[in-house]
């Protein structure tokens, strides 16, 4: 007789690539689940760049947006530095009221064409995180736009105004990986880089303080998130990803 709960394993993500672009809605999004994986990849010598669709300027109730934007961009640049990411681009779209559609796809497609990544990373854009609590609207809009913009970027006849000064279409993205998805089938072993992930999250101190999380512990939070994933990989800590293959037949 079988006893206990069977744990569904997660497949390791491939690491036979050199360039990745991470596109998320806000400063701090990467750090709530993806930064430790980035630290692993940059330690392997891979090139990773960050693109923030907004500057998170509506994220701190006690700080006016113009002031908040400056603070949160600086925190994100430092957070990226900790995990080995030298480039952070901000698209300065409106925080909190992002809309999925052609304008957002156009902005992201332009970034994909410039960075020419093999892998694009975004955050979970499913309706929930696996329970009943709804995902935040900006995350959903951004993730949906990322998947479509990656395909747009490879089509010469979409957003043709971008193709100037030698910029060419880019259809070389193999997959979009969404971290934190409740429908994840893959994961990354982040055991060796977990501490860097914690440091990267803690770099968002003004944001965390602004939320009023007086006794909140970033390490404890990330451990609670990463240990169950690691168990499904047979390691201490893991980061879960849903994989969306790009290209024909994907």
């Amino acid at each position: 007789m079988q006893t206990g709960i069977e744990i569904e394993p997660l497949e390791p993500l491939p690491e036979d690539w050199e360039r990745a672009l991470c596109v998320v809605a806000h400063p701090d999004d990467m750090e709530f689940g993806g930064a430790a994986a980035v630290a692993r990849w940059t330690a392997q010598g891979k090139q990773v760049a960050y693109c923030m669709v907004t500057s998170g300027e509506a994220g701190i109730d006690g700080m006016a947006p113009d002031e908040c934007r400056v603070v949160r961009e600086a925190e994100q640049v430092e957070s990226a530095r900790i995990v080995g990411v030298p480039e952070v681009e901000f698209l300065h779209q409106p925080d909190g009221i992002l809309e999925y559609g052609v304008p957002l796809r156009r902005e992201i497609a332009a970034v994909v064409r410039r960075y020419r990544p093999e892998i694009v990373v975004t955050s979970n854009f499913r309706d929930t995180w696996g329970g009943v609590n709804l995902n935040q609207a900006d995350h959903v809009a951004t993730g949906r736009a990322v998947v479509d913009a990656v395909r747009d970027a490879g089509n010469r006849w979409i957003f043709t105004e971008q193709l100037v000064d030698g910029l060419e279409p880019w259809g070389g993205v193999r997959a979009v990986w969404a971290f934190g998805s409740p429908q994840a089938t893959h994961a990354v072993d982040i055991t060796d880089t977990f501490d860097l992930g914690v440091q990267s999250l803690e770099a968002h101190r003004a944001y965390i303080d602004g939320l009023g999380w007086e006794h909140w512990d970033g390490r404890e939070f990330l451990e609670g998130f990463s240990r169950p994933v690691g168990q499904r990989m047979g390691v201490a800590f893991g980061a879960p990803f849903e994989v969306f293959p790009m290209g024909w037949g994907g």
Side-chain angles (χ1 to χ4, degrees):
M1 184 177 73
Q2 186 176 10
T3 59
I5 299 174
E6 185 175 350
I7 298 175
E8 184 178 356
L10 292 166
E11 183 177 344
L13 283 173
E15 293 182 330
D16 58 340
W17 50 271
E18 295 300 325
R19 297 185 312 280
L21 172 67
C22 303
V23 184
V24 293
H26 316 105
D28 82 78
D29 283 353
M30 286 300 303
E31 289 66 50
F32 279 98
V38 170
R40 172 187 171 97
W41 296 328
T42 58
Q44 295 171 347
K46 301 184 190 304
Q47 300 174 30
V48 182
Y50 280 4
C51 175
M52 306 289 124
V53 175
T54 80
S55 297
E57 68 275 8
I60 301 177
D61 183 69
M63 188 178 293
D66 286 346
E67 179 186 359
C68 187
R69 178 182 295 109
V70 175
V71 170
R72 298 203 66 195
E73 287 188 1
E75 288 188 336
Q76 183 58 66
V77 169
E78 172 59 14
S79 181
R81 184 198 63 78
I82 291 169
V83 295
V85 176
E87 291 186 77
V88 182
E89 182 165 341
F90 298 91
L91 298 184
H92 299 124
Q93 299 302 298
D95 182 23
I97 53 173
L98 289 178
E99 292 183 297
Y100 168 80
V102 171
L104 186 54
R105 284 166 51 187
R106 178 182 287 110
E107 293 282 345
I108 297 171
V111 179
V112 172
R113 284 170 166 172
R114 284 190 282 105
Y115 283 94
R116 305 176 78 79
E118 299 161 79
I119 298 296
V120 172
V121 174
T122 192
S123 64
N124 170 39
F125 57 97
R126 296 296 184 179
D127 289 341
T128 73
W129 295 95
V132 297
N133 292 329
L134 292 174
N135 198 351
Q136 200 267 350
D138 284 356
H139 301 158
V140 177
T142 296
R144 288 183 60 201
V146 164
V147 171
D148 289 339
V150 163
R151 291 178 291 202
D152 296 336
N155 189 328
R156 182 176 301 278
W157 308 116
I158 294 180
F159 308 139
T160 56
E161 75 282 357
Q162 296 174 357
L163 303 179
V164 296
D165 298 327
L167 188 65
E168 289 290 327
W170 176 247
V173 177
R174 292 160 46 180
V176 173
W177 296 345
F179 66 81
S181 170
Q183 299 186 35
T185 55
H186 292 67
V188 176
D189 179 359
I190 59 170
T191 304
D192 292 341
T193 53
F194 179 79
D195 287 347
L196 288 172
V198 173
Q199 293 174 37
S200 188
L201 175 58
E202 290 177 344
H204 293 277
R205 180 47 52 190
Y207 176 65
I208 293 169
D209 290 348
L211 292 173
W213 295 350
E214 183 179 354
H215 301 295
W216 184 80
D217 186 314
R219 178 176 295 276
E220 182 180 21
F221 172 85
L222 289 178
E223 283 188 359
F225 180 75
S226 303
R227 281 191 185 279
V229 179
Q231 187 177 14
R232 294 172 66 184
M233 295 188 77
V235 301
F237 298 119
F241 288 81
E242 184 173 1
V243 173
F244 298 89
M246 295 291 110
W248 299 108

